């Protein structure tokens, strides 16, 4: 081989072939990275939904299993101690764009060391606001203008939210317990149904304190 041929280097065709190969490798790497990031995003969304459902199940069991048939002073519900209706019930402080579908008082609020001057009772409302199911709680069971309300979003991006109540052997769309009324008792169970993206139609059936 002559000295001139040995020092000639790569031909144009060889360089183009190399660039083409590196371009293919780069495109494959970008596609793999994009696929990995998309899968990670989907997994994070799914884990977030599962965590939300776990919290919802826990709160439903705690709330419905400790319902107390107690009048609420300062409320406008005319003697109702428990009310559930997808068409709406009397709210603690109604706001535009929301529908309160469940209202009751429950026991079991923690107060370690009795450091706060309050009982173990609290008033709870479940409300539908757009595509969200929200839990609203008052600091004290008896309502006043100064009573602080706190909210927790239990579900978001939910559609077809419905509540049913087990009365006797059948499900009904509304339930009410009136203070002092004979034969007025809690439904044995409450059923919550809704639809979530990716997970589809879901339902929870939870026993109330009236079934225990």
């Amino acid at each position: 081989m002559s000295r001139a041929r040995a020092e000639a280097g790569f031909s144009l065709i060889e360089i183009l072939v190399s660039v083409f190969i590196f371009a293919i490798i780069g495109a494959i790497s970008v596609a793999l990275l994009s696929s990995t990031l998309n899968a990670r995003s989907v997994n994070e969304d799914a884990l977030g939904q599962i965590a939300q459902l776990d919290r919802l199940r826990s709160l439903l069991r705690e709330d419905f299993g400790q319902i107390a048939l107690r009048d609420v002073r300062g409320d406008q519900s005319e003697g109702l101690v428990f009310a559930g209706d997808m068409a709406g019930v009397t709210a603690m402080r109604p706001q535009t764009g929301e529908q309160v579908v469940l209202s009751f008082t429950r026991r079991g609020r923690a107060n370690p060391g009795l450091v706060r001057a309050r009982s173990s009772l609290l008033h709870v409302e479940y409300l539908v606001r757009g595509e969200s199911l929200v839990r609203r709680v008052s600091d004290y069971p008896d309502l006043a203008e100064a009573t602080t309300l706190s909210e927790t979003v239990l579900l978001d991006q939910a559609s077809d939210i419905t509540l049913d109540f087990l009365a006797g052997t059948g499900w009904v769309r509304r339930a009410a317990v009136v203070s002092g009324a004979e034969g007025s008792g809690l439904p044995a169970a409450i059923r919550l149904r809704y639809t979530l993206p990716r997970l589809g139609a879901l339902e929870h059936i939870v026993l109330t304190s009236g079934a225990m």
Side-chain angles (χ1 to χ4, degrees):
M1 182 182 295
S2 65
R3 181 181 180 84
R5 182 178 179 82
E7 293 178 353
F10 297 106
S11 67
L12 178 60
I13 294 177
E14 291 172 330
I15 293 175
L16 291 176
V17 170
S18 300
V19 171
F20 179 70
I21 292 173
F22 281 118
I24 292 176
I25 294 174
I28 294 173
S29 299
V30 170
L32 288 174
L33 178 60
S34 177
S35 176
T36 300
L37 293 176
N38 288 336
R40 179 180 178 182
S41 177
V42 170
N43 288 337
E44 288 178 348
D45 289 344
L47 290 174
Q49 280 192 329
I50 291 172
Q52 190 177 63
L53 292 179
D54 285 340
R55 180 178 62 178
L56 172 63
R57 281 193 291 262
S58 296
L59 283 173
L60 292 178
R61 287 195 298 267
E62 291 177 9
D63 283 345
F64 300 166
Q66 300 187 79
I67 295 175
L69 297 182
R70 177 187 183 277
D71 286 322
V72 180
R73 291 183 291 274
D75 193 13
Q76 303 299 318
S77 55
E78 300 180 357
L80 286 176
V81 296
F82 173 89
D85 190 343
M86 284 304 299
V89 301
T90 301
M92 289 188 270
R93 291 177 195 159
Q95 299 178 19
T96 303
E98 69 180 26
Q99 189 85 328
V100 177
V101 297
L102 196 57
S103 176
F104 56 90
T105 300
R106 57 156 286 189
R107 310 179 190 88
R109 187 180 191 186
N111 190 6
L114 302 178
V115 295
R116 298 190 63 184
R118 58 171 172 77
S119 73
S120 63
L121 297 173
L122 68 159
H123 195 70
V124 181
E125 289 180 344
Y126 281 71
L127 57 103
V128 176
R129 184 183 294 149
E131 293 187 335
S132 297
L133 178 67
V134 180
R135 178 179 183 261
R136 184 157 62 200
V137 179
S138 68
D139 267 358
Y140 299 92
D142 295 318
L143 307 178
E145 287 297 325
T147 303
T148 301
L149 305 181
S150 57
E151 294 187 352
T152 302
V153 177
L154 302 178
L155 292 171
D156 54 12
Q157 298 181 346
S159 59
D160 304 322
I161 300 173
T162 60
L163 278 174
D164 300 293
F165 306 91
L166 183 60
T169 59
W171 293 98
V172 296
R173 301 305 301 272
R174 58 182 60 88
V177 179
V178 181
S179 177
E182 293 186 7
S184 181
L186 281 174
I190 300 175
R191 179 172 66 188
L192 170 65
R193 294 186 289 186
Y194 54 90
T195 301
L196 288 180
R198 298 190 183 92
L199 297 182
L202 299 169
E203 76 171 26
H204 308 274
I205 298 177
V206 185
L207 295 177
T208 70
S209 57
M212 301 174 185

